[in-house]
Amino acid sequence: MKLKKILIIGASGSGKSALAKKIALKLDLTYVPTDRFYWKKDWEPERSDRVREKAVDFATQEEWVMDGNFDSDRDIVWQEADCIIWLNYPRLTVLCRVISRNLRWWVTQEEIWSGNRMTLKHAISGIRHAMRSYGKKKRDYPMWLRDYEHVVLFTSSRQARRWVSNL
């Protein structure tokens, strides 16, 4: 099966974007960073109907690698994917990654989504969000994913790297 639409899901901070970029480069597919779907300038959250519109716009294209969960829009995005990759990493791994990433963004003040720059308040909020949503994903994803034929589960970065190198 030729992979043309790959969705990477997992907890915030698990490495979805990094893996999506690697896969897109390796397979010469369009990488679609999706955090910008959810945030407007000045950290204003996007309306859910607009997020859905953006998701539909990209999900119905010919090829892509997306790095978002789309839990509320899985009826569209997950359905369109040829392959769903779940980064089901240990909580400690995710916690370390999200702390490191958010604090790095705060210190460097690099532009992230929609022109926003990380504030300490948003860094802490993002860490809390990652930890709160982690258990929900561990609970819900196995049930939700059983309806999909092509699901790849990684429980470690080593597994993901090995899989990408074999593409």
Side-chain angles (χ1 to χ4, degrees):
M1 174 178 103
K2 182 162 171 39
L3 299 177
K4 291 174 51 180
K5 295 181 177 186
I6 302 169
L7 177 65
I8 319 267
I9 64 173
S12 179
S14 61
K16 296 182 300 291
S17 298
L19 183 60
K21 288 175 196 173
K22 288 176 187 167
I23 292 171
L25 186 63
K26 181 103 178 193
L27 297 178
D28 194 28
L29 297 172
T30 302
Y31 166 57
V32 182
T34 62
D35 285 313
R36 63 190 165 107
F37 289 15
Y38 295 92
W39 295 103
K40 296 192 281 189
K41 193 150 183 60
D42 298 322
W43 290 101
E44 184 181 342
E46 186 60 85
R47 293 187 340 250
S48 59
D49 62 316
R50 285 289 300 137
V51 171
R52 189 171 179 85
E53 284 176 32
K54 293 173 188 180
V56 169
D57 286 347
F58 281 98
T60 56
Q61 291 181 13
E62 288 296 312
E63 50 93 13
W64 43 259
V65 180
M66 281 200 233
D67 62 359
N69 295 307
F70 295 102
D71 292 353
S72 301
D73 300 304
R74 67 184 187 281
D75 61 313
I76 295 169
V77 181
W78 292 30
Q79 261 333 105
E80 284 288 327
D82 297 327
C83 176
I84 299 174
I85 297 172
W86 179 18
L87 302 182
N88 186 15
Y89 296 160
R91 184 183 299 266
L92 183 58
T93 300
V94 172
L95 178 63
C96 290
R97 285 181 174 186
V98 77
I99 289 172
S100 172
R101 178 196 70 184
N102 286 12
L103 293 180
R104 183 182 76 252
W105 283 343
W106 175 58
V107 168
T108 64
Q109 284 299 292
E110 66 186 272
E111 187 176 302
I112 47 177
W113 318 298
S114 308
N116 294 309
R117 297 183 193 284
M118 188 61 72
T119 64
L120 183 56
K121 174 185 167 192
H122 284 102
I124 293 168
S125 173
I127 294 164
R128 273 198 307 256
H129 166 76
M131 290 301 95
R132 274 195 311 259
S133 63
Y134 182 88
K136 184 179 183 318
K137 290 177 187 341
K138 290 283 263 193
R139 182 191 70 225
D140 294 343
Y141 281 10
M143 179 178 54
W144 293 350
L145 287 167
R146 69 176 168 220
D147 295 332
Y148 296 92
E149 189 175 334
H150 300 288
V151 175
V152 180
L153 171 69
F154 296 129
T155 56
S156 72
S157 298
R158 178 181 290 152
Q159 289 174 329
R161 281 192 307 274
R162 192 176 311 130
W163 188 84
V164 171
S165 71
N166 289 325
L167 286 174

